[in-house]
Amino acid sequence: MAKRINSQEDRYSKALLRLGKVAPGASPVHNAKMLQVDQLRSNPRNPRLHFDKKTLEELGESLLNVGVIEPLVVRFAGDSDTEYESVVGARRWRAAKLVGIPELPCLVRELDDVHAFEIALSENVIREELSPLDEAKCYQHMLDMGMATSLRQIGRKLGLSHTRVQQKMNLLGLERDIQRLVATRVAAPGSAMKITEGHARHLLRLESLEERREVLALIFQHNWSTRETQAEVA
């Protein structure tokens, strides 16, 4: 791969390094370049599973008016010299496609599958762009793929507290239909059928599915806050 990349980093790349946009030594960083939107493709391991079209359209309008301030991070797609896979910036790429922006600034980095996933996950967590369930599933994926051996190690890798990782992972103990309602909070902000992560954590304290669904119905019926839900569960 290194042979395909110009070893002379341009001034834009060096400026980004000085600004701390990319941690020096984390992995090789090469030329920042303008890439055609059609040269980019989605990352099949993207931690973000849901993209709301209305939100993407709003982001696209912002990109048209203000421009793309921060470059995307990409890597070569397989053995291709002309196609790239998005690592960080999937929302910006999709939004650009929607509004007809032809090219985007990108940083090309040498990343294997594991490091690409970890960077994408870390970026999404920092920006708070993942639903609680998407985040939990990513942590489970890290365990399943051997990227980490414990929740504490996940936290250390991503700069997160053990408590946060544990709280997200606990959500996987909910039934799938209730899980989907938690994910809705980010996937479709306008949906009436949604609960917060706080609601979900209180539902986890109930022992039976019947009790959970009974309280869930009351949450929707009375538009309960997390505190009101907590009182009912207690």
Side-chain angles (χ1 to χ4, degrees):
M1 179 180 295
K3 293 181 180 179
R4 296 182 294 171
I5 305 175
N6 184 350
S7 62
Q8 182 65 37
E9 293 184 353
D10 63 13
R11 286 178 296 177
Y12 185 32
S13 297
K14 292 177 181 177
L16 286 169
L17 281 169
R18 287 197 299 271
L19 289 171
K21 293 292 185 183
V22 179
S27 64
V29 182
H30 302 278
N31 285 347
K33 59 181 70 179
M34 298 299 293
L35 295 177
Q36 297 295 312
V37 167
D38 291 341
Q39 288 181 267
L40 302 177
R41 71 185 194 191
S42 62
N43 178 358
R45 299 174 185 82
N46 192 332
R48 186 180 176 90
L49 303 177
H50 305 284
F51 296 88
D52 179 60
K53 185 175 181 181
K54 181 178 179 181
T55 303
L56 288 178
E57 289 173 346
E58 292 172 349
L59 176 57
E61 288 299 317
S62 173
L63 297 180
L64 285 173
N65 294 328
V66 181
V68 183
I69 298 173
E70 187 174 351
L72 285 69
V73 176
V74 301
R75 65 173 184 163
F76 283 110
D79 296 326
S80 174
D81 289 321
T82 58
E83 290 190 337
Y84 300 82
E85 185 179 280
S86 169
V87 177
V88 174
R91 288 181 67 248
R92 280 167 281 164
W93 171 57
R94 290 171 185 267
K97 289 176 66 176
L98 270 179
V99 298
I101 294 175
E103 58 182 13
L104 293 166
C106 298
L107 279 176
V108 181
R109 300 185 66 178
E110 292 182 31
L111 298 166
D112 58 23
D113 290 346
V114 171
H115 287 104
F117 178 82
E118 289 178 349
I119 289 174
L121 175 55
S122 179
E123 182 75 8
N124 277 280
V125 169
I126 290 170
R127 294 176 182 270
E128 297 185 346
E129 291 180 346
L130 295 179
S131 75
L133 258 297
D134 283 350
E135 192 174 327
K137 289 174 182 176
C138 287
Y139 299 153
Q140 185 62 57
H141 179 71
M142 291 182 71
L143 294 173
D144 293 342
M145 299 301 292
M147 299 179 192
T149 57
S150 67
L151 301 190
R152 290 190 183 279
Q153 190 175 25
I154 291 174
R156 286 196 298 270
K157 278 178 173 285
L158 301 176
L160 303 173
S161 70
H162 174 259
T163 299
R164 172 174 176 148
V165 177
Q166 182 69 69
Q167 286 178 339
K168 297 296 188 293
M169 289 290 288
N170 287 345
L171 297 176
L172 297 178
L174 288 169
E175 289 70 26
R176 288 185 179 273
D177 58 333
I178 301 179
Q179 285 185 17
R180 283 193 290 269
L181 295 174
V182 184
T184 299
R185 181 170 177 247
V186 171
S191 171
M193 299 293 288
K194 60 184 180 182
I195 59 174
T196 68
E197 182 182 348
H199 287 114
R201 287 207 296 266
H202 293 310
L203 290 177
L204 278 166
R205 295 169 55 195
L206 297 169
E207 294 183 358
S208 70
L209 174 58
E210 181 180 353
E211 289 177 319
R212 289 177 183 174
R213 288 187 172 157
E214 180 181 343
V215 174
L216 184 64
L218 292 172
I219 291 172
F220 291 134
Q221 181 180 346
H222 301 293
N223 194 27
W224 276 350
S225 65
T226 54
R227 180 167 295 183
E228 289 168 321
T229 303
Q230 180 182 20
E232 177 65 22
V233 170

